Amino acid sequence: KQEVTQIPAALSVPEGENLVLNCSFTDSAIYNLQWFRQDPGKGLTSLLLIQSSQREQTSGRLNASLDKSSGRSTLYIAASQPGDSATYLCAEFSSNTGKLIFGQGTTLQVKP
Amino acid sequence: NAGVTQTPKFQVLKTGQSMTLQCAQDMNHEYMSWYRQDPGMGLRLIHYSVGAGITDQGEVPNGYNVSRSTTEDFPLRLLSAAPSQTSVYFCASSREGANTGELFFGEGSRLTVL
C-alpha cells in the first residue's frame, strides 16, 4: 500500500534556526515528490517539485532532497522566520498506482 | 489572474440534502481534481479529470458525482449529504496532470452536514 508519513506532526523553533522537515514514503516506484505549504484556513501552495531522476531542488531559503533508496525526502528551511509558520505537506506520485498521495503534514511554528 | 476559484466557502446542509460545490480555473489547465481534507486523514482524492468530457474516480468517490463539460469548470455534486461528508473540500488543477507538474489549489469549501 502506498503510504506517506511525516514526522513530527508539530514543530516549534526560535526565529533564525535552520530546520529539517521529514517525509517518508513506501512506494519504490516514485515518479515525483512535491512539497506544499498550507496556511490556516487556506488552500495548499506548491513549494518544490522533485522528479524521480533528481536528487534535490532549491527555491530561495528552501531546499528539498529526495533519496529513493531509503524512501525519504527532506525539506530544509534556512534561517527560519515567523512568516514560515504554516503546515508543510509532502505528496508522492507513484508510477505504480498513478496516484498522488499526501502525508498528514508537519505544523511549524517559528517564534519571534 | 484568479487561479482556482471555489464557491461557496462555507456551507451547512442537513442530512439528505443535495448541493454542488463549484470549481473554476482560468489557467487553461487540462487536469482538475477534488480532494477532501479531514483531521488525521490528510488529503484524499475524490474524483479527477484529465480534460473536458473525461472524469475518473479517486480514492473516496462514493457519494459524489462530477462532470467536466468545459475546460474551466469542474463541479462536485453531493446527491444526498451524510454527516460523514463533513469536511473541507479542495479543488486543484494542473497544466497536464498530477504527475507532471505543479498543482494549484483553491482556498477550500468548508462543508458541515448536520
Side-chain angles (χ1 to χ4, degrees):
Chain A
K1 180 183 176 183
Q2 183 185 2
E3 292 183 352
V4 179
T5 305
Q6 293 185 251
I7 296 174
L11 182 63
S12 181
V13 301
E15 181 177 4
E17 190 164 300
N18 301 327
L19 59 99
V20 174
L21 304 181
N22 296 301
C23 174
S24 301
F25 49 91
T26 58
D27 190 343
S28 60
I30 179 173
Y31 192 91
N32 66 41
L33 188 132
Q34 299 187 47
W35 283 93
F36 296 87
R37 169 182 172 141
Q38 185 176 26
D39 292 293
K42 300 293 186 181
L44 281 70
T45 300
S46 179
L47 297 173
L48 290 164
L49 168 68
I50 311 176
Q51 300 291 352
S52 61
S53 58
Q54 300 172 319
R55 293 188 63 84
E56 65 179 301
Q57 284 284 341
T58 299
S59 176
R61 293 182 295 108
L62 305 180
N63 176 276
S65 67
L66 176 64
D67 185 342
K68 291 189 297 181
S69 62
S70 65
R72 294 177 61 182
S73 177
T74 60
L75 179 66
Y76 175 83
I77 303 176
S80 58
Q81 304 170 357
D84 295 330
S85 298
T87 296
Y88 292 82
L89 297 98
C90 65
E92 178 220 356
F93 190 91
S94 169
S95 298
N96 277 343
T97 65
K99 294 179 180 178
L100 185 68
I101 301 297
F102 284 81
Q104 295 191 21
T106 295
T107 298
L108 172 66
Q109 181 184 29
V110 181
K111 297 180 179 178
Chain B
N1 194 339
V4 179
T5 302
Q6 290 184 235
T7 57
K9 287 184 168 29
F10 300 93
Q11 183 71 50
V12 178
L13 291 178
K14 294 181 179 179
T15 297
Q17 287 185 316
S18 63
M19 77 157 299
T20 299
L21 300 178
Q22 302 290 345
C23 175
Q25 52 87 13
D26 60 0
M27 298 173 282
N28 201 32
H29 284 174
E30 290 295 325
Y31 179 88
M32 297 185 74
S33 56
W34 277 102
Y35 289 86
R36 60 178 290 174
Q37 185 175 37
D38 302 289
M41 302 292 289
L43 279 91
R44 293 178 292 170
L45 181 64
I46 305 171
H47 285 285
Y48 66 97
S49 168
V50 297
I54 306 169
T55 63
D56 208 344
Q57 297 181 348
E59 298 174 77
V60 288
N62 293 341
Y64 307 95
N65 281 348
V66 292
S67 59
R68 185 92 180 271
S69 57
T70 67
T71 299
E72 294 77 21
D73 300 297
F74 190 45
L76 178 71
R77 297 183 184 85
L78 284 72
L79 300 179
S80 179
S84 61
Q85 293 178 305
T86 294
S87 186
V88 181
Y89 292 85
F90 289 100
C91 179
S93 73
S94 178
R95 186 169 57 87
E96 293 179 357
N99 61 323
T100 56
E102 183 180 2
L103 274 179
F104 292 82
F105 281 79
E107 295 209 337
S109 296
R110 287 149 184 81
L111 175 67
T112 301
V113 182
L114 302 175

